[in-house]
């Protein structure tokens, strides 16, 4: 059970539609910035791994490495997922965590660890601004 979930749900339902639009824009901007930094840090042999890094609303493509998702079925429209790998870039896991024969070459989680506080702050500012303007 998440502490404060009931309070959050009550407040969330009270936020007008334009506030949700502003929050969506802030989430998209933050995800784009993170993906761009991951692109710059990804190992680049043929560009397949870097090209596999992206973000989406909702579920990530099957077989990809993900940071995780925020939200659930109730908040499906506000759940963003950043991903890498899958398809021809199946080796994203190997690069990120290494193997018995290869050292790790992390490009994914270190970026998220550095950026997550900024992302939360950015979204909080968008929410506060939208509420003030409502």
């Amino acid at each position: 059970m998440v502490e404060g979930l009931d309070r959050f749900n009550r407040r969330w339902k009270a936020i007008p539609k334009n506030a949700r639009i502003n929050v969506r824009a802030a989430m998209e901007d933050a995800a784009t910035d993170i993906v761009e930094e991951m692109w710059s840090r990804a190992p680049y042999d043929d560009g397949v791994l870097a090209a596999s890094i992206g973000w989406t609303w909702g579920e990530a493509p099957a077989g990809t490495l993900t940071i995780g998702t925020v939200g659930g079925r109730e908040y499906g429209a506000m759940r963003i997922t950043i991903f890498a790998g899958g398809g021809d870039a199946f080796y994203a896991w190997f690069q990120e965590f290494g193997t018995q024969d290869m050292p790790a070459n992390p490009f994914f989680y270190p970026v998220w660890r550095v950026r997550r506080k900024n992302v939360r702050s950015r979204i909080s500012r968008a929410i506060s601004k939208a509420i003030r303007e409502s």
Side-chain angles (χ1 to χ4, degrees):
M1 180 105 189
V2 177
E3 281 187 38
L5 185 59
D6 290 338
R7 181 173 179 259
F8 172 78
N9 286 335
R10 282 193 306 276
R11 291 197 70 183
W12 182 254
K13 290 176 183 172
I15 297 173
K17 184 178 180 179
N18 65 340
R20 291 188 181 148
I21 291 169
N22 291 344
V23 170
R24 273 183 79 92
M27 290 173 72
E28 288 176 353
D29 290 344
T32 299
D33 289 347
I34 290 169
V35 165
E36 287 174 356
E37 187 170 343
M38 288 176 178
W39 284 337
S40 72
R41 294 176 182 262
Y44 193 90
D45 287 330
D46 54 9
V48 173
L49 180 58
S52 76
I53 302 169
W55 65 267
T56 186
W57 288 103
E59 299 295 324
T64 58
L65 176 70
T66 61
I67 287 174
T69 57
V70 178
R73 288 183 202 147
E74 184 176 349
Y75 306 107
M78 295 297 288
R79 182 178 58 200
I80 203 164
T81 305
I82 298 172
F83 60 87
D88 290 339
F90 66 90
Y91 53 88
W93 286 91
F94 306 142
Q95 287 291 335
E96 184 71 14
F97 301 110
T99 67
Q100 182 176 341
D101 302 319
M102 181 185 86
N105 189 5
F107 64 95
F108 194 79
Y109 286 105
V111 172
W112 172 243
R113 285 186 202 107
V114 168
R115 296 288 206 119
R116 70 178 154 203
K117 191 179 251 186
N118 176 269
V119 169
R120 290 178 184 144
S121 174
R122 200 177 205 172
I123 293 168
S124 293
R125 284 191 309 270
I127 291 170
S128 298
K129 181 180 177 189
I131 290 171
R132 280 192 311 272
E133 292 175 352
S134 297

